[in-house]
Amino acid sequence: MAGTASNERGSWNSKLGFILAAAGSAVGLGNIWGFPTQVADNGGAAFLVIYLLCSFLIGFPVMVAELAIGRKSGKNPVGAFKALSSNKFFPLVGLWGVICGVMILSFYTVIAGWAFGYAFEEIFYAVGMDNVASWIADVGNGPKNAIVASLFMLATIKIITGGVSGGIEKATKTMMPLLIGILLIMIGYVMFQPGSAEGIREYLLPDFSKVNSDLIFSAMGQAFFSLSLGMGALITYGSYLNKKENIPQAAAFVTLADVGIAFLAGLLIIPAMYLAQANGVEIFVDGKLADSTTLVFTVLPELFHSMGSVGVVFGVTFFLLLSIAALTSTISLLEVPVSYAIDEHELPRPKAAWVIGLGILAVSLLIAFFPNLIGYFVTVFNNIGLPLGGFLICVFVAYVWKTDGALTEMEFGFAGIKQSMFSKIWPFFIYVVCPAAILFTLLQTLWSLITG
Ligand code: TRP
């Protein structure tokens, strides 16, 4: 629909549509590529427990705050802070969020491209075209990385041009059930393989002697990234939310979906790692568990190759699963700058999607040729950018907009919220617990950067 910026904005068609879109944003490479390796690296189940606590105690209250800011203002992160106060600093926080989104998307697309490429690698390997297979398998192969990242970005742009309900909602409504179905089938298979029991034990029996401050900070960072917090993605998604929806309830569903899928991904990948080991594939490098990229893009394919024809089906399915999860996340990352351009610069949606998407692709292409850059991007925009944004969002809601303002907004869809337990507990988390925990994480990250 052409016309003014306001009718370019759009809104969700249904509550389920919103929840699937927000859960799709949350569920991504962070859950399937990142989380299981973090668990395996940090003492198994102990990490899982701390991660669950971080998601519910720190992530969930911040998600509620972001959604409330979004729905009250009906705007992108920059416009939202402008609409809710006359403070001149906070729109810059929104802008920082938009920048983090752009930069995260630029490297995320390259990793997503690896996953997508691997679905084809498995096929070429199966039909005996080993040369092509190993050409695709090389994560340092610049031209190949550029091709798959471009395909991925084009798919993301295409969905975003379709708008909120016709693009994002429609796409995630098909992809999320598919993702869950594939995940469950794969878990079912892995569970019954001899050798997977050791992995399940490692994953589910906590050894709390392994909990230390590093583990807690890693779990915090992981929860934040995985829930898509700290850069206004949920301010943006909240701005399309209908007034009749219950914000705390919606946030609870999204948090549950995200940790639920991370949990399931662990149930697939950790036993699969042990299975790989039982099949003679090396999962340790110099006595340390291999990193996420090695595990997902080297160890797992080797496992699939050792499984014969079942392995081909398995391999293709797994990498499609990873690609779908990544796609529902890249669309949320692109939607943030696009909504900013629509609201603040009155660009029509398709133009905004193409101009910004192709601009980000230019950065992705640089990363495609120099994948070592990913580490720097992760440090600046994930590890520092997101906690910084999350901390400032808490400060804004607590001290500028005031939690009472947020609770008033949440009365739509949750009548009597001000008399409920929620209104006694949530403000305390936003005033004290969340900002303090996030600030500690941020300071610890900075400290370990300084001290090497
Ligand atoms: N949460 C996604 C993942 O787990 C990544 C993601 C999508 C994200 N949108 C975001 C992270 C916004 C931070 C902010 O892979």
Side-chain angles (χ1 to χ4, degrees):
M1 213 194 315
T4 62
S6 62
N7 63 23
E8 288 282 343
R9 287 201 101 253
S11 60
W12 306 111
N13 242 336
S14 69
K15 176 176 181 167
L16 180 68
F18 161 75
I19 290 183
L20 288 179
S25 160
V27 173
L29 295 172
N31 303 58
I32 302 173
W33 175 74
F35 174 76
T37 330
Q38 290 247 21
V39 173
D41 244 351
N42 285 299
F47 183 86
L48 175 65
V49 173
I50 304 290
Y51 169 77
L52 291 177
L53 289 175
C54 291
S55 298
F56 287 107
L57 297 181
I58 312 298
F60 166 72
V62 176
M63 186 184 291
V64 169
E66 282 203 30
L67 289 176
I69 294 175
R71 193 176 65 180
K72 170 74 189 176
S73 62
K75 285 280 173 0
N76 70 92
V78 177
F81 286 113
K82 278 193 206 156
L84 298 186
S85 92
S86 55
N87 186 303
K88 290 275 175 292
F89 170 69
F90 282 94
L92 294 176
V93 175
L95 190 61
W96 172 244
V98 174
I99 295 170
C100 286
V102 164
M103 299 315 250
I104 291 175
L105 180 55
S106 69
F107 74 80
Y108 201 94
T109 307
V110 176
I111 304 174
W114 287 342
F116 189 53
Y118 256 97
F120 297 95
E121 183 270 355
E122 292 293 307
I123 297 173
F124 284 114
Y125 183 85
V127 297
M129 294 171 72
D130 289 19
N131 292 349
V132 189
S134 42
W135 185 77
I136 299 177
D138 180 3
V139 289
N141 179 343
K144 183 272 306 187
N145 287 347
I147 294 169
V148 282
S150 302
L151 288 175
F152 212 87
M153 184 60 94
L154 292 178
T156 307
I157 296 173
K158 188 81 193 72
I159 293 171
I160 292 297
T161 56
V164 177
S165 57
I168 305 175
E169 185 170 349
K170 206 165 130 218
T172 44
K173 253 183 160 163
T174 334
M175 288 194 280
M176 289 306 285
L178 193 62
L179 181 144
I180 295 170
I182 295 177
L183 199 53
L184 289 177
I185 293 171
M186 293 188 76
I187 292 171
Y189 179 84
V190 167
M191 286 286 171
F192 290 103
Q193 297 307 301
S196 63
E198 192 184 341
I200 297 173
R201 215 174 304 122
E202 179 73 12
Y203 185 38
L204 297 181
L205 294 180
D207 173 0
F208 286 110
S209 68
K210 291 190 174 149
V211 176
N212 56 30
S213 59
D214 277 353
L215 183 148
I216 298 174
F217 293 127
S218 304
M220 271 285 295
Q222 175 65 26
F224 235 67
F225 180 78
S226 190
L227 291 168
S228 303
L229 297 173
M231 52 144 289
L234 286 150
I235 294 180
T236 310
Y237 273 23
S239 74
Y240 308 131
L241 195 58
N242 193 296
K243 289 278 188 206
K244 66 179 195 292
E245 306 304 353
N246 179 331
I247 288 181
Q249 189 200 52
F253 278 139
V254 176
T255 308
L256 274 173
D258 186 55
V259 299
I261 294 197
F263 177 76
L264 289 178
L267 214 47
L268 170 66
I269 291 182
I270 297 170
M273 277 163 23
Y274 283 83
L275 206 58
Q277 200 179 27
N279 285 10
V281 180
E282 204 39 72
I283 62 172
F284 291 94
V285 181
D286 302 329
K288 247 191 113 241
L289 187 72
D291 59 32
S292 304
T293 307
T294 314
L295 280 174
V296 171
F297 297 119
T298 309
V299 171
L300 288 182
E302 280 187 46
L303 171 68
F304 299 142
H305 296 168
S306 73
M307 284 162 57
S309 47
V310 189
V312 182
V313 180
F314 226 68
V316 175
T317 318
F318 174 77
F319 287 111
L320 283 180
L321 165 83
L322 200 53
S323 308
I324 294 170
L327 187 57
T328 56
S329 296
T330 53
I331 56 186
S332 82
L333 286 161
L334 182 57
E335 181 61 16
V336 176
V338 166
S339 76
Y340 166 71
I342 293 172
D343 292 345
E344 308 298 308
H345 300 285
E346 296 187 9
L347 246 56
R349 175 174 279 277
K351 187 170 174 195
W354 281 105
V355 171
I356 297 171
L358 293 179
I360 298 174
L361 179 60
V363 186
S364 301
L365 292 182
L366 181 73
I367 298 172
F369 285 93
F370 304 98
N372 286 342
L373 289 173
I374 292 176
Y376 300 101
F377 276 60
V378 168
T379 304
V380 178
F381 301 105
N382 285 6
N383 300 352
I384 299 176
L386 298 180
L388 184 62
F391 172 74
L392 292 168
I393 286 169
C394 292
V395 170
F396 178 80
V397 173
Y399 302 98
V400 181
W401 187 27
K402 304 278 181 342
T403 50
D404 197 54
L407 287 168
T408 304
E409 172 60 28
M410 286 186 261
E411 274 181 330
F412 298 103
F414 187 164
I417 191 172
K418 289 194 179 170
Q419 286 75 46
S420 71
M421 274 298 274
F422 182 85
S423 72
K424 313 237 160 13
I425 301 170
W426 178 77
F428 176 66
F429 275 78
I430 292 296
Y431 275 104
V432 184
V433 182
C434 299
I438 298 167
L439 192 60
F440 268 122
T441 310
L442 188 60
L443 292 177
Q444 143 79 17
T445 305
L446 292 173
W447 177 249
S448 61
L449 276 176
I450 295 166
T451 57

